[in-house]
Amino acid sequence: MYQANNKGPIGVFDSGYGGLTILDGIRKRMPDYDYIYLGDNARAPYGTRSFDVVYEFTLQAVRKLFDMDCPLVIIGCNTASAKALRSIQQKFLPFEAPEHRVLGVIRPTAEVVGRLTHTNHVGVFATEGTIKSESYRLEVQKLFPEVTVTGQACPMWVPIVENGEYDKPGADYFVKDSIKKLLSKDPQIDTIILGCTHFPLLNDKIRKYTPEHISLIPQGHYIAESLADYLQRHTDMDARLTKGGTCQFFTTESSQKFSENASIFLKENINAQRISLA
Ligand code: DGL
Protein backbone atom coordinates (compact mmCIF):
# COMPACT_ATOMS: atom_id res chain seq x y z
CA MET A 1 0.00 0.00 0.00
CA TYR A 2 1.38 3.40 -1.01
CA GLN A 3 1.46 6.20 1.55
CA ALA A 4 -1.58 8.48 1.34
CA ASN A 5 -0.04 11.86 2.01
CA ASN A 6 3.45 11.78 0.56
CA LYS A 7 4.72 14.74 -1.38
CA GLY A 8 6.70 14.53 -4.60
CA PRO A 9 7.10 15.26 -8.30
CA ILE A 10 4.68 14.72 -11.18
CA GLY A 11 5.62 11.51 -13.01
CA VAL A 12 5.39 11.37 -16.80
CA PHE A 13 5.65 7.98 -18.46
CA ASP A 14 6.02 6.92 -22.08
CA SER A 15 7.21 3.85 -23.94
CA GLY A 16 10.16 5.90 -25.19
CA TYR A 17 10.87 9.43 -26.33
CA GLY A 18 7.35 10.43 -27.40
CA GLY A 19 6.17 11.52 -23.95
CA LEU A 20 8.86 14.21 -24.03
CA THR A 21 6.44 16.18 -26.24
CA ILE A 22 3.88 15.96 -23.42
CA LEU A 23 6.44 16.77 -20.72
CA ASP A 24 7.59 19.77 -22.73
CA GLY A 25 4.03 21.13 -22.97
CA ILE A 26 3.39 20.58 -19.26
CA ARG A 27 6.67 22.13 -18.11
CA LYS A 28 6.11 25.21 -20.26
CA ARG A 29 2.64 25.63 -18.74
CA MET A 30 3.71 24.77 -15.15
CA PRO A 31 7.45 25.43 -14.81
CA ASP A 32 7.47 25.56 -10.99
CA TYR A 33 6.59 21.92 -10.40
CA ASP A 34 9.06 19.04 -10.05
CA TYR A 35 8.96 16.28 -12.67
CA ILE A 36 10.28 12.77 -13.24
CA TYR A 37 10.23 11.44 -16.80
CA LEU A 38 10.42 7.69 -17.37
CA GLY A 39 10.88 6.21 -20.86
CA ASP A 40 10.71 2.44 -21.32
CA ASN A 41 12.95 2.71 -24.38
CA ALA A 42 14.27 -0.85 -23.99
CA ARG A 43 10.80 -2.25 -24.68
CA ALA A 44 9.48 0.39 -27.13
CA PRO A 45 7.49 0.40 -29.31
CA TYR A 46 4.35 -0.62 -27.42
CA GLY A 47 2.11 0.04 -30.46
CA THR A 48 1.81 -3.54 -31.69
CA ARG A 49 1.87 -5.25 -28.27
CA SER A 50 -1.17 -6.98 -26.75
CA PHE A 51 -3.44 -5.42 -24.11
CA ASP A 52 -2.05 -7.72 -21.40
CA VAL A 53 1.58 -6.88 -22.13
CA VAL A 54 0.98 -3.11 -22.37
CA TYR A 55 -0.92 -3.29 -19.05
CA GLU A 56 1.91 -5.23 -17.37
CA PHE A 57 4.63 -2.85 -18.63
CA THR A 58 2.61 0.28 -17.82
CA LEU A 59 1.80 -0.95 -14.33
CA GLN A 60 5.50 -1.61 -13.69
CA ALA A 61 6.27 1.96 -14.75
CA VAL A 62 3.50 3.44 -12.60
CA ARG A 63 4.72 1.46 -9.56
CA LYS A 64 8.27 2.68 -10.18
CA LEU A 65 7.11 6.31 -10.33
CA PHE A 66 5.05 5.81 -7.14
CA ASP A 67 8.18 4.30 -5.52
CA MET A 68 9.99 7.49 -6.53
CA ASP A 69 7.34 9.39 -4.55
CA CYS A 70 5.20 10.74 -7.40
CA PRO A 71 1.63 11.15 -6.09
CA LEU A 72 0.40 11.84 -9.65
CA VAL A 73 1.43 10.08 -12.84
CA ILE A 74 0.58 11.16 -16.38
CA ILE A 75 0.63 8.33 -18.88
CA GLY A 76 2.07 10.41 -21.72
CA CYS A 77 1.51 7.63 -24.22
CA ASN A 78 -1.68 7.08 -26.21
CA THR A 79 -1.10 3.35 -26.62
CA ALA A 80 -0.70 2.84 -22.86
CA SER A 81 -3.59 5.21 -22.15
CA ALA A 82 -5.78 3.24 -24.58
CA LYS A 83 -4.77 -0.20 -23.41
CA ALA A 84 -3.88 0.11 -19.73
CA LEU A 85 -5.24 3.25 -18.08
CA ARG A 86 -8.74 2.01 -17.32
CA SER A 87 -7.45 -1.25 -15.79
CA ILE A 88 -4.91 0.66 -13.67
CA GLN A 89 -7.63 3.02 -12.44
CA GLN A 90 -10.07 0.20 -11.70
CA LYS A 91 -7.96 -2.80 -10.70
CA PHE A 92 -4.83 -1.31 -9.14
CA LEU A 93 -5.33 2.16 -7.66
CA PRO A 94 -8.34 1.48 -5.41
CA PHE A 95 -6.52 -1.42 -3.71
CA GLU A 96 -2.89 -0.35 -3.56
CA ALA A 97 -2.76 3.42 -3.97
CA PRO A 98 -6.22 4.90 -3.36
CA GLU A 99 -4.86 8.42 -2.79
CA HIS A 100 -2.59 8.45 -5.84
CA ARG A 101 -3.77 9.41 -9.31
CA VAL A 102 -2.94 8.23 -12.82
CA LEU A 103 -4.20 10.29 -15.78
CA GLY A 104 -4.00 9.63 -19.52
CA VAL A 105 -3.87 11.66 -22.72
CA ILE A 106 -6.84 10.47 -24.79
CA ARG A 107 -9.74 12.09 -22.92
CA PRO A 108 -8.15 15.60 -22.76
CA THR A 109 -7.41 15.41 -26.50
CA ALA A 110 -10.92 14.23 -27.34
CA GLU A 111 -12.35 17.15 -25.36
CA VAL A 112 -10.96 19.78 -27.77
CA VAL A 113 -12.04 18.12 -31.00
CA GLY A 114 -15.63 19.41 -31.01
CA ARG A 115 -14.40 22.99 -30.82
CA LEU A 116 -11.97 22.62 -33.71
CA THR A 117 -13.84 20.75 -36.44
CA HIS A 118 -16.28 22.58 -38.71
CA THR A 119 -17.17 19.64 -40.96
CA ASN A 120 -17.62 17.26 -38.00
CA HIS A 121 -15.20 14.89 -39.71
CA VAL A 122 -12.08 14.16 -37.69
CA GLY A 123 -9.11 11.93 -38.47
CA VAL A 124 -6.69 10.25 -36.09
CA PHE A 125 -3.13 9.16 -36.77
CA ALA A 126 -1.94 6.75 -34.08
CA THR A 127 -0.28 3.41 -33.47
CA GLU A 128 -1.99 0.22 -34.52
CA GLY A 129 -2.85 -0.50 -30.87
CA THR A 130 -4.54 2.85 -30.29
CA ILE A 131 -6.52 2.64 -33.56
CA LYS A 132 -7.62 -0.95 -32.90
CA SER A 133 -8.73 -0.05 -29.36
CA GLU A 134 -11.17 2.50 -30.92
CA SER A 135 -10.47 4.69 -27.87
CA TYR A 136 -10.51 7.95 -29.82
CA ARG A 137 -13.76 7.19 -31.62
CA LEU A 138 -15.41 6.17 -28.35
CA GLU A 139 -14.14 9.15 -26.33
CA VAL A 140 -14.89 11.74 -29.03
CA GLN A 141 -18.36 10.38 -29.71
CA LYS A 142 -19.21 10.27 -25.99
CA LEU A 143 -18.67 14.04 -25.96
CA PHE A 144 -19.62 14.92 -29.57
CA PRO A 145 -21.97 12.27 -31.00
CA GLU A 146 -22.29 14.20 -34.27
CA VAL A 147 -18.57 13.87 -35.07
CA THR A 148 -17.33 11.09 -37.37
CA VAL A 149 -13.90 9.77 -36.39
CA THR A 150 -11.71 7.90 -38.89
CA GLY A 151 -8.46 6.33 -37.77
CA GLN A 152 -5.27 5.52 -39.64
CA ALA A 153 -2.58 3.36 -38.05
CA CYS A 154 0.94 4.56 -38.85
CA PRO A 155 3.12 1.61 -37.81
CA MET A 156 6.33 3.05 -39.25
CA TRP A 157 6.19 6.47 -37.64
CA VAL A 158 7.24 5.47 -34.10
CA PRO A 159 10.30 3.45 -35.26
CA ILE A 160 11.26 6.40 -37.49
CA VAL A 161 11.18 8.73 -34.44
CA GLU A 162 12.82 6.26 -32.02
CA ASN A 163 15.67 5.84 -34.51
CA GLY A 164 16.19 9.56 -35.00
CA GLU A 165 15.07 9.49 -38.66
CA TYR A 166 12.19 11.94 -38.25
CA ASP A 167 13.88 14.80 -40.07
CA LYS A 168 15.51 12.63 -42.75
CA PRO A 169 14.20 12.31 -46.34
CA GLY A 170 13.36 8.60 -45.90
CA ALA A 171 10.51 9.51 -43.54
CA ASP A 172 8.64 11.41 -46.28
CA TYR A 173 7.38 8.29 -48.05
CA PHE A 174 5.72 6.88 -44.92
CA VAL A 175 4.21 10.21 -43.91
CA LYS A 176 2.74 10.85 -47.40
CA ASP A 177 1.41 7.31 -47.63
CA SER A 178 -0.51 7.46 -44.31
CA ILE A 179 -1.99 10.90 -45.12
CA LYS A 180 -3.18 9.63 -48.50
CA LYS A 181 -4.77 6.54 -46.91
CA LEU A 182 -6.57 8.55 -44.23
CA LEU A 183 -7.96 11.18 -46.60
CA SER A 184 -9.10 8.59 -49.13
CA LYS A 185 -11.22 6.99 -46.37
CA ASP A 186 -12.88 10.33 -45.53
CA PRO A 187 -12.21 13.36 -47.77
CA GLN A 188 -14.33 15.62 -45.52
CA ILE A 189 -11.83 15.52 -42.66
CA ASP A 190 -10.83 19.04 -41.58
CA THR A 191 -9.08 18.20 -38.29
CA ILE A 192 -6.50 15.50 -37.58
CA ILE A 193 -5.49 14.38 -34.11
CA LEU A 194 -1.84 13.40 -33.83
CA GLY A 195 -2.84 10.60 -31.45
CA CYS A 196 0.63 9.39 -30.62
CA THR A 197 3.05 11.39 -28.55
CA HIS A 198 5.90 10.61 -30.95
CA PHE A 199 4.19 12.24 -33.90
CA PRO A 200 4.79 15.95 -33.14
CA LEU A 201 8.42 15.22 -34.01
CA LEU A 202 7.22 14.52 -37.55
CA ASN A 203 5.04 17.62 -37.53
CA ASP A 204 6.95 19.50 -40.25
CA LYS A 205 6.63 16.61 -42.67
CA ILE A 206 3.00 15.91 -41.76
CA ARG A 207 2.19 19.59 -42.28
CA LYS A 208 4.04 19.62 -45.60
CA TYR A 209 1.93 16.81 -47.10
CA THR A 210 -1.44 17.63 -45.49
CA PRO A 211 -3.78 20.02 -47.37
CA GLU A 212 -3.60 23.47 -45.83
CA HIS A 213 -7.24 23.68 -44.77
CA ILE A 214 -6.81 20.71 -42.42
CA SER A 215 -5.81 21.52 -38.81
CA LEU A 216 -3.41 19.25 -36.99
CA ILE A 217 -3.85 18.72 -33.24
CA PRO A 218 -0.65 17.93 -31.39
CA GLN A 219 -1.29 16.96 -27.78
CA GLY A 220 1.30 18.66 -25.56
CA HIS A 221 -0.49 21.99 -25.29
CA TYR A 222 -3.94 20.50 -24.63
CA ILE A 223 -2.70 17.97 -22.07
CA ALA A 224 -0.93 20.80 -20.23
CA GLU A 225 -4.10 22.92 -20.17
CA SER A 226 -6.15 19.98 -18.99
CA LEU A 227 -3.66 19.16 -16.20
CA ALA A 228 -3.54 22.77 -15.02
CA ASP A 229 -7.34 22.75 -14.87
CA TYR A 230 -7.33 19.41 -12.99
CA LEU A 231 -4.93 20.75 -10.36
CA GLN A 232 -7.01 23.86 -9.88
CA ARG A 233 -10.02 21.67 -9.17
CA HIS A 234 -8.07 19.18 -7.00
CA THR A 235 -6.21 21.39 -4.56
CA ASP A 236 -5.52 18.44 -2.24
CA MET A 237 -3.46 16.80 -5.00
CA ASP A 238 -1.84 20.09 -5.94
CA ALA A 239 -0.67 20.52 -2.34
CA ARG A 240 1.10 17.15 -2.54
CA LEU A 241 3.15 18.16 -5.61
CA THR A 242 6.54 19.63 -4.82
CA LYS A 243 7.49 22.82 -6.61
CA GLY A 244 11.21 23.20 -7.09
CA GLY A 245 11.28 23.47 -10.89
CA THR A 246 13.42 20.31 -11.28
CA CYS A 247 13.19 17.52 -13.84
CA GLN A 248 14.87 14.11 -13.64
CA PHE A 249 15.03 11.62 -16.49
CA PHE A 250 15.08 7.81 -16.33
CA THR A 251 15.23 5.27 -19.13
CA THR A 252 15.31 1.48 -19.33
CA GLU A 253 17.83 1.66 -22.23
CA SER A 254 21.28 3.22 -22.43
CA SER A 255 21.37 6.44 -20.43
CA GLN A 256 23.88 7.96 -22.83
CA LYS A 257 21.71 7.34 -25.89
CA PHE A 258 18.62 8.66 -24.10
CA SER A 259 20.47 11.76 -22.88
CA GLU A 260 21.74 12.55 -26.37
CA ASN A 261 18.34 12.16 -28.06
CA ALA A 262 16.31 13.82 -25.31
CA SER A 263 18.71 16.77 -25.29
CA ILE A 264 17.98 17.25 -29.01
CA PHE A 265 14.19 16.95 -28.51
CA LEU A 266 14.03 19.32 -25.56
CA LYS A 267 16.88 21.60 -26.61
CA GLU A 268 18.52 21.42 -23.18
CA ASN A 269 21.26 19.40 -21.60
CA ILE A 270 19.88 16.18 -20.11
CA ASN A 271 21.57 13.59 -17.93
CA ALA A 272 19.38 10.50 -17.78
CA GLN A 273 19.85 7.52 -15.49
CA ARG A 274 19.20 3.93 -16.44
CA ILE A 275 16.76 1.87 -14.38
CA SER A 276 15.12 -1.51 -14.66
CA LEU A 277 11.35 -2.00 -14.47
CA ALA A 278 10.96 -5.77 -14.61
N1 DGL B 1 4.19 7.26 -27.84
C1 DGL B 1 3.26 6.20 -27.88
C2 DGL B 1 1.85 6.70 -28.11
O1 DGL B 1 1.55 7.83 -27.83
C3 DGL B 1 3.48 5.09 -28.86
C4 DGL B 1 4.79 4.60 -29.10
C5 DGL B 1 4.87 3.12 -29.08
O2 DGL B 1 4.33 2.43 -29.97
O3 DGL B 1 5.50 2.66 -28.16
O4 DGL B 1 1.02 5.93 -28.55
PDB file of all heavy atoms in Angstrom, residues 14-15 18 44-47 77-79 127 130 158 195-198, ligand 1:
ATOM      1  N   ASP A  14       6.278   7.284 -20.682  1.00  0.00           N
ATOM      2  CA  ASP A  14       6.016   6.922 -22.085  1.00  0.00           C
ATOM      3  C   ASP A  14       6.827   5.676 -22.420  1.00  0.00           C
ATOM      4  O   ASP A  14       7.788   5.338 -21.714  1.00  0.00           O
ATOM      5  CB  ASP A  14       6.423   8.073 -23.032  1.00  0.00           C
ATOM      6  CG  ASP A  14       6.104   7.741 -24.493  1.00  0.00           C
ATOM      7  OD1 ASP A  14       4.925   7.465 -24.786  1.00  0.00           O
ATOM      8  OD2 ASP A  14       7.028   7.722 -25.326  1.00  0.00           O
ATOM      9  N   SER A  15       6.450   5.018 -23.514  1.00  0.00           N
ATOM     10  CA  SER A  15       7.211   3.846 -23.943  1.00  0.00           C
ATOM     11  C   SER A  15       8.629   4.241 -24.377  1.00  0.00           C
ATOM     12  O   SER A  15       9.510   3.384 -24.413  1.00  0.00           O
ATOM     13  CB  SER A  15       6.484   3.161 -25.100  1.00  0.00           C
ATOM     14  OG  SER A  15       6.316   4.080 -26.161  1.00  0.00           O
ATOM     15  N   GLY A  18       8.534   9.658 -27.008  1.00  0.00           N
ATOM     16  CA  GLY A  18       7.349  10.428 -27.400  1.00  0.00           C
ATOM     17  C   GLY A  18       6.784  11.302 -26.292  1.00  0.00           C
ATOM     18  O   GLY A  18       6.393  12.448 -26.521  1.00  0.00           O
ATOM     19  N   ALA A  44      10.270  -0.331 -26.115  1.00  0.00           N
ATOM     20  CA  ALA A  44       9.483   0.388 -27.130  1.00  0.00           C
ATOM     21  C   ALA A  44       9.754  -0.268 -28.494  1.00  0.00           C
ATOM     22  O   ALA A  44      10.845  -0.811 -28.695  1.00  0.00           O
ATOM     23  CB  ALA A  44       9.901   1.856 -27.178  1.00  0.00           C
ATOM     24  N   PRO A  45       8.807  -0.209 -29.438  1.00  0.00           N
ATOM     25  CA  PRO A  45       7.491   0.402 -29.305  1.00  0.00           C
ATOM     26  C   PRO A  45       6.454  -0.517 -28.652  1.00  0.00           C
ATOM     27  O   PRO A  45       6.580  -1.743 -28.698  1.00  0.00           O
ATOM     28  CB  PRO A  45       7.102   0.697 -30.751  1.00  0.00           C
ATOM     29  CG  PRO A  45       7.843  -0.298 -31.573  1.00  0.00           C
ATOM     30  CD  PRO A  45       9.099  -0.643 -30.828  1.00  0.00           C
ATOM     31  N   TYR A  46       5.460   0.118 -28.035  1.00  0.00           N
ATOM     32  CA  TYR A  46       4.349  -0.618 -27.420  1.00  0.00           C
ATOM     33  C   TYR A  46       3.212  -0.846 -28.426  1.00  0.00           C
ATOM     34  O   TYR A  46       2.318  -1.629 -28.184  1.00  0.00           O
ATOM     35  CB  TYR A  46       3.757   0.209 -26.262  1.00  0.00           C
ATOM     36  CG  TYR A  46       4.493   0.172 -24.947  1.00  0.00           C
ATOM     37  CD1 TYR A  46       5.778  -0.364 -24.842  1.00  0.00           C
ATOM     38  CD2 TYR A  46       3.890   0.674 -23.805  1.00  0.00           C
ATOM     39  CE1 TYR A  46       6.434  -0.367 -23.618  1.00  0.00           C
ATOM     40  CE2 TYR A  46       4.532   0.665 -22.577  1.00  0.00           C
ATOM     41  CZ  TYR A  46       5.801   0.145 -22.490  1.00  0.00           C
ATOM     42  OH  TYR A  46       6.432   0.142 -21.275  1.00  0.00           O
ATOM     43  N   GLY A  47       3.253  -0.058 -29.543  1.00  0.00           N
ATOM     44  CA  GLY A  47       2.113   0.044 -30.459  1.00  0.00           C
ATOM     45  C   GLY A  47       1.529  -1.259 -30.966  1.00  0.00           C
ATOM     46  O   GLY A  47       0.336  -1.341 -31.218  1.00  0.00           O
ATOM     47  N   CYS A  77       1.407   8.566 -23.106  1.00  0.00           N
ATOM     48  CA  CYS A  77       1.510   7.634 -24.223  1.00  0.00           C
ATOM     49  C   CYS A  77       0.087   7.212 -24.565  1.00  0.00           C
ATOM     50  O   CYS A  77      -0.635   6.728 -23.696  1.00  0.00           O
ATOM     51  CB  CYS A  77       2.339   6.428 -23.785  1.00  0.00           C
ATOM     52  SG  CYS A  77       2.404   5.088 -24.986  1.00  0.00           S
ATOM     53  N   ASN A  78      -0.299   7.415 -25.817  1.00  0.00           N
ATOM     54  CA  ASN A  78      -1.676   7.077 -26.206  1.00  0.00           C
ATOM     55  C   ASN A  78      -1.918   5.573 -26.153  1.00  0.00           C
ATOM     56  O   ASN A  78      -2.980   5.124 -25.742  1.00  0.00           O
ATOM     57  CB  ASN A  78      -1.943   7.563 -27.630  1.00  0.00           C
ATOM     58  CG  ASN A  78      -2.026   9.077 -27.685  1.00  0.00           C
ATOM     59  OD1 ASN A  78      -3.096   9.632 -27.610  1.00  0.00           O
ATOM     60  ND2 ASN A  78      -0.888   9.748 -27.788  1.00  0.00           N
ATOM     61  N   THR A  79      -0.925   4.804 -26.589  1.00  0.00           N
ATOM     62  CA  THR A  79      -1.100   3.351 -26.615  1.00  0.00           C
ATOM     63  C   THR A  79      -1.332   2.833 -25.201  1.00  0.00           C
ATOM     64  O   THR A  79      -2.250   2.039 -24.954  1.00  0.00           O
ATOM     65  CB  THR A  79       0.161   2.694 -27.221  1.00  0.00           C
ATOM     66  OG1 THR A  79       0.457   3.351 -28.454  1.00  0.00           O
ATOM     67  CG2 THR A  79      -0.052   1.218 -27.456  1.00  0.00           C
ATOM     68  N   THR A 127      -0.864   4.746 -33.291  1.00  0.00           N
ATOM     69  CA  THR A 127      -0.282   3.409 -33.469  1.00  0.00           C
ATOM     70  C   THR A 127      -1.415   2.420 -33.768  1.00  0.00           C
ATOM     71  O   THR A 127      -2.593   2.710 -33.535  1.00  0.00           O
ATOM     72  CB  THR A 127       0.438   2.943 -32.196  1.00  0.00           C
ATOM     73  OG1 THR A 127      -0.535   2.829 -31.150  1.00  0.00           O
ATOM     74  CG2 THR A 127       1.533   3.895 -31.777  1.00  0.00           C
ATOM     75  N   THR A 130      -3.568   1.791 -30.643  1.00  0.00           N
ATOM     76  CA  THR A 130      -4.537   2.846 -30.294  1.00  0.00           C
ATOM     77  C   THR A 130      -5.710   2.810 -31.273  1.00  0.00           C
ATOM     78  O   THR A 130      -6.867   2.912 -30.869  1.00  0.00           O
ATOM     79  CB  THR A 130      -3.850   4.228 -30.325  1.00  0.00           C
ATOM     80  OG1 THR A 130      -2.760   4.199 -29.404  1.00  0.00           O
ATOM     81  CG2 THR A 130      -4.806   5.340 -29.932  1.00  0.00           C
ATOM     82  N   VAL A 158       6.539   5.525 -35.391  1.00  0.00           N
ATOM     83  CA  VAL A 158       7.244   5.469 -34.100  1.00  0.00           C
ATOM     84  C   VAL A 158       8.686   4.969 -34.286  1.00  0.00           C
ATOM     85  O   VAL A 158       9.627   5.610 -33.791  1.00  0.00           O
ATOM     86  CB  VAL A 158       6.474   4.620 -33.062  1.00  0.00           C
ATOM     87  CG1 VAL A 158       7.316   4.396 -31.811  1.00  0.00           C
ATOM     88  CG2 VAL A 158       5.167   5.316 -32.694  1.00  0.00           C
ATOM     89  N   GLY A 195      -2.508  11.393 -32.641  1.00  0.00           N
ATOM     90  CA  GLY A 195      -2.838  10.603 -31.452  1.00  0.00           C
ATOM     91  C   GLY A 195      -1.736   9.683 -30.995  1.00  0.00           C
ATOM     92  O   GLY A 195      -1.991   8.565 -30.543  1.00  0.00           O
ATOM     93  N   CYS A 196      -0.527  10.139 -31.121  1.00  0.00           N
ATOM     94  CA  CYS A 196       0.629   9.392 -30.619  1.00  0.00           C
ATOM     95  C   CYS A 196       1.655  10.445 -30.248  1.00  0.00           C
ATOM     96  O   CYS A 196       1.933  11.358 -31.047  1.00  0.00           O
ATOM     97  CB  CYS A 196       1.191   8.464 -31.687  1.00  0.00           C
ATOM     98  SG  CYS A 196       2.756   7.709 -31.201  1.00  0.00           S
ATOM     99  N   THR A 197       2.193  10.313 -29.058  1.00  0.00           N
ATOM    100  CA  THR A 197       3.053  11.386 -28.555  1.00  0.00           C
ATOM    101  C   THR A 197       4.370  11.512 -29.333  1.00  0.00           C
ATOM    102  O   THR A 197       5.067  12.515 -29.202  1.00  0.00           O
ATOM    103  CB  THR A 197       3.353  11.173 -27.065  1.00  0.00           C
ATOM    104  OG1 THR A 197       3.853   9.839 -26.910  1.00  0.00           O
ATOM    105  CG2 THR A 197       2.103  11.354 -26.244  1.00  0.00           C
ATOM    106  N   HIS A 198       4.699  10.498 -30.115  1.00  0.00           N
ATOM    107  CA  HIS A 198       5.900  10.607 -30.947  1.00  0.00           C
ATOM    108  C   HIS A 198       5.688  11.513 -32.160  1.00  0.00           C
ATOM    109  O   HIS A 198       6.649  12.029 -32.731  1.00  0.00           O
ATOM    110  CB  HIS A 198       6.308   9.229 -31.486  1.00  0.00           C
ATOM    111  CG  HIS A 198       6.959   8.335 -30.482  1.00  0.00           C
ATOM    112  ND1 HIS A 198       6.319   7.870 -29.366  1.00  0.00           N
ATOM    113  CD2 HIS A 198       8.213   7.807 -30.446  1.00  0.00           C
ATOM    114  CE1 HIS A 198       7.148   7.086 -28.694  1.00  0.00           C
ATOM    115  NE2 HIS A 198       8.298   7.035 -29.319  1.00  0.00           N
TER     116      HIS A 198
HETATM  117  N1  DGL B   1       4.194   7.265 -27.836  1.00  0.00           N
HETATM  118  C1  DGL B   1       3.256   6.203 -27.879  1.00  0.00           C
HETATM  119  C2  DGL B   1       1.848   6.698 -28.107  1.00  0.00           C
HETATM  120  O1  DGL B   1       1.545   7.832 -27.826  1.00  0.00           O
HETATM  121  C3  DGL B   1       3.482   5.092 -28.857  1.00  0.00           C
HETATM  122  C4  DGL B   1       4.793   4.604 -29.099  1.00  0.00           C
HETATM  123  C5  DGL B   1       4.869   3.115 -29.076  1.00  0.00           C
HETATM  124  O2  DGL B   1       4.328   2.433 -29.972  1.00  0.00           O
HETATM  125  O3  DGL B   1       5.504   2.660 -28.159  1.00  0.00           O
HETATM  126  O4  DGL B   1       1.021   5.930 -28.554  1.00  0.00           O
END
